[in-house]
Amino acid sequence: MNKLLATLLASVTLVAASIPTTQAATATGNFNVTVSLTSVCTIAAIGDLAFGTYVAFQGTAQTATATTATLTCTRGLTGVSANFDTAAPGSTAAAAATNAVGAGVLAGLQYNITATPGTTTAGTAATAAAIGTGDSLPYSITGSMPANQAGTSATGVQTQVRTLTVNY
């Protein structure tokens, strides 16, 4: 029995010695990370441009309470401009330098509106730990109604929807 055990042990030792030992190793490979970015500007909700109460034939122009349209754009985007629609009855729109200018008629009263860009606040760059933020560009929207207008008889507050369009 000892001879059998010795032969078996010798055979196991011989087989174990013929198995190659495992070695630690690494392999590396390079790859590209890609993206195709479409730049965008969005507009936050714009408040009302309110002229208040206009008294027919008043001797002074009526100034509206200004409102602000804040754009959030892709960082570093250049060539952003704005203009008003011309869909409202009696409305016009044009670009004057960097401002958007427009006119319209509401309750029989002619008015002028202007959107003037403010200073862009730069967004923050993305990092591995945090997402970045877009650039912020405010547009101040102001308006005036000339003096000595008759208007058209109407009851209550009259409203006209206008659109500010941003081009980039």
Side-chain angles (χ1 to χ4, degrees), residues 1 6 11 17 24 42 58 67 70 85 88 93 96 105-107 131 138:
M1 176 83 162
S11 298
T42 61
Q58 69 185 36
T67 188
T70 301
D85 66 313
V105 177
L106 177 62
I131 63 171

Side-chain angles (χ1 to χ4, degrees), residues 116-145:
T116 305
T119 302
T120 299
T121 301
T124 57
T127 66
I131 63 171
T133 60
D135 291 349
S136 179
L137 173 59
Y139 270 83
S140 176
I141 303 173
T142 58
S144 65
M145 287 183 166

Side-chain angles (χ1 to χ4, degrees), residues 25 49 111 138:
L49 184 67
Y111 65 87

Side-chain angles (χ1 to χ4, degrees), residues 3 8 15 53 58 60-61 68-70 77 91 95 97 104 129 139 155 168:
K3 272 188 171 187
L8 186 57
V15 170
T53 301
Q58 69 185 36
T60 58
T68 302
T70 301
L77 188 63
S91 66
Y139 270 83
T155 305
Y168 53 93

Side-chain angles (χ1 to χ4, degrees), residues 6-133:
T7 304
L8 186 57
L9 187 58
S11 298
V12 169
T13 303
L14 184 60
V15 170
S18 66
I19 297 175
T21 59
T22 305
Q23 296 180 354
T26 60
T28 60
N30 296 329
F31 62 96
N32 295 321
V33 177
T34 66
V35 67
S36 178
L37 174 66
T38 300
S39 295
V40 173
C41 282
T42 61
I43 301 175
I46 304 171
D48 293 339
L49 184 67
F51 283 101
T53 301
Y54 188 99
V55 177
F57 306 111
Q58 69 185 36
T60 58
Q62 184 84 5
T63 301
T65 301
T67 188
T68 302
T70 301
L71 282 58
T72 301
C73 299
T74 302
R75 289 185 50 236
L77 188 63
T78 59
V80 178
S81 65
N83 63 337
F84 293 108
D85 66 313
T86 57
S91 66
T92 63
T98 58
N99 297 344
V101 295
V105 177
L106 177 62
L109 301 168
Q110 189 265 342
Y111 65 87
N112 298 299
I113 53 178
T114 303
T116 305
T119 302
T120 299
T121 301
T124 57
T127 66
I131 63 171
T133 60

